[in-house]
Amino acid sequence: MDFRKIISSTRCYNFHSHTQFCDGRATMEEMARAAVSCGMIHYGFTPHSPIPIESPCNMKASDVEIFLAEVSRLQNMSEFSTCRFYRAMEIDYLSPQWGPANDYFRSLDLDYSIGSVHFIPSQTGEPVDIDGNFENFSRRMKRYFRGDIDYVVDTFFRQSSEMIKAGGFDIIGHFDKIGQNASYYSPGIEDGMHYHALADSMVEMIIDRDLIVELNTKAKSAHGRFFPAERYLRKLVDADITILVNSDAHYPDTVNALRDEALHLLDALKCVS
């Protein structure tokens, strides 16, 4: 897909959304109707990918064909003719053996994929979800990570770097998302030199490989932040990296949530570049 061409011709798009097939809170048809109602002309369904461990937030492998067929069904409904729907997936990177570059995902008939890190290995090697609400994160810090927030941050960025090197995805998802829970757990951690060095290294890898990045608006309303943070956006804009503004919608009323604010931010950064 030529994302740069799409976003140069319209702002009526969202390439990151979730439905009943993973941790979304509405059916695909409900999300499609919401997308059309708010004027979207490009809309991607991106369920959290199947993974080889138990997770209530991830799609079951047995549902993949049903999901793919549902996208086709919606695309052929006359009431949705003004919007193109895409068969995509947000693929979790767990290890060199499981991630966007895995042959399984390459075999699926997807229009594109988002590569994201939501799980990292504990000190004993057990994959642990470090995404989601802070209450769960705090419990997992004690149970799985011995309270070592530096280990969690370092490992998140190491996993992200490994995913970039392995490739196989079209868009890198919320690449500094660990900053949210890490900052609640250890206030000020994002302002430290070590965190900056890790995040800056990610930005340099993205620029070196000319990757497509999303500006994710999901956390703006509840947590007052975009992913990536504005301090990293400037470098990406200056390097002419393709940046998609995605709402990471889990509910129909968040299909276009805070995208206008994010687009205005990008405009402002481009004007002073």
Side-chain angles (χ1 to χ4, degrees), residues 30 44 81 99 125 161 179 246:
E30 289 170 327
S81 61
S161 297
N246 292 329

Side-chain angles (χ1 to χ4, degrees), residues 53-54 119-131 135-149 151-152 155 185:
I53 59 174
E54 286 296 319
F119 296 79
I120 66 169
S122 69
Q123 289 94 328
T124 59
E126 181 178 1
V128 180
D129 186 355
I130 46 82
D131 195 28
E135 184 178 338
N136 287 337
F137 178 83
S138 185
R139 284 198 297 264
R140 290 165 185 160
M141 281 297 302
K142 181 178 180 180
R143 180 176 179 183
Y144 297 105
F145 299 113
R146 307 167 191 162
D148 189 344
I149 190 62
Y151 169 85
V152 170
T155 306
Y185 191 84

